[in-house]
Amino acid sequence: AFFKAGVKRIVASIWPVEDEASAFLMTKFYHALFIEGHPPANALRQARLAVSQIPRWSHPYYWSGFLFFGNGGHWREL
């Protein structure tokens, strides 16, 4: 439905997620995307790796449910 409405990219979780780990992951994602300039898929990969390095969130439950869908180019591309 999002793509039909014109959205080019989506980051979504495919299962219910833990709030604190998700907030940390999204902070890392947006930092990699906007500050470091990574393409969205790579930014999500960097964020997932960062979460997986935290001992209490190292289990894939906390980070592997986040997926990227859509155009993998730079976030400023239309």
Side-chain angles (χ1 to χ4, degrees):
F2 287 107
F3 290 124
K4 192 93 166 155
V7 172
K8 302 217 184 314
R9 299 169 188 91
I10 299 170
V11 173
S13 174
I14 58 175
W15 56 68
V17 293
E18 196 267 339
D19 290 342
E20 192 176 356
S22 299
F24 181 81
L25 183 136
M26 285 294 125
T27 299
K28 292 295 187 179
F29 169 72
Y30 284 112
H31 181 83
L33 185 67
F34 295 126
I35 305 301
E36 297 176 9
H38 292 284
N42 191 327
L44 181 58
R45 180 181 179 277
Q46 295 298 322
R48 289 169 59 173
L49 287 171
V51 173
S52 73
Q53 299 302 309
I54 307 293
R56 65 183 168 164
W57 298 326
S58 63
H59 190 280
Y61 163 79
Y62 294 99
W63 50 266
S64 67
F66 288 92
L67 302 176
F68 172 79
F69 302 94
N71 178 346
H74 191 274
W75 67 272
R76 290 186 180 178
E77 292 176 4
L78 296 176

